[in-house]
């Protein structure tokens, strides 16, 4: 569980009041052009991001399956 959070970065946008998370290897894509950041997820609460990452063991390709549940 704790290992699934390894390598994830979190930011908070005070204007949109949203939390963002992305893999550390995608940081250039996130800060340069977030449309190219394949691992980025966002939510109004950091708890939702933590749930998504922990539940999928940190695999961004599994996030779509959470939406279907």
């Amino acid at each position: 569980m704790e290992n699934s959070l390894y390598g994830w970065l979190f930011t908070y946008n005070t204007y949109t009041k949203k939390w963002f998370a992305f893999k550390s290897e995608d940081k250039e894509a996130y800060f340069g052009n977030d449309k190219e950041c394949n691992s980025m997820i966002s939510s109004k609460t950091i708890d939702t991001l933590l749930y998504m990452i922990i539940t999928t063991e940190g695999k961004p390709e599994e996030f779509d399956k959470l939406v279907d549940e």
Side-chain angles (χ1 to χ4, degrees):
M1 175 173 105
E2 294 84 20
N3 292 336
S4 60
L5 294 174
Y6 182 79
W8 283 87
L9 300 175
F10 297 84
T11 62
Y12 181 73
N13 185 317
T14 57
Y15 297 107
T16 63
K17 298 186 182 340
K18 281 184 149 184
W19 282 94
F20 294 85
F22 52 92
K23 299 281 277 180
S24 59
E25 61 261 18
D26 290 337
K27 66 183 174 204
E28 288 86 10
Y30 176 81
F31 289 110
N33 181 2
D34 62 0
K35 292 178 181 155
E36 295 179 10
C37 184
N38 297 325
S39 64
M40 183 183 68
I41 54 175
S42 65
S43 177
K44 291 190 179 208
T45 67
I46 195 167
D47 291 329
T48 301
L49 298 180
L50 293 172
Y51 170 79
M52 291 176 70
I53 295 168
I54 291 169
T55 302
T56 62
E57 298 179 353
K59 299 174 185 164
E61 61 274 8
E62 301 288 321
F63 293 151
D64 291 338
K65 293 179 184 176
L66 290 176
V67 176
D68 295 336
E69 290 181 352

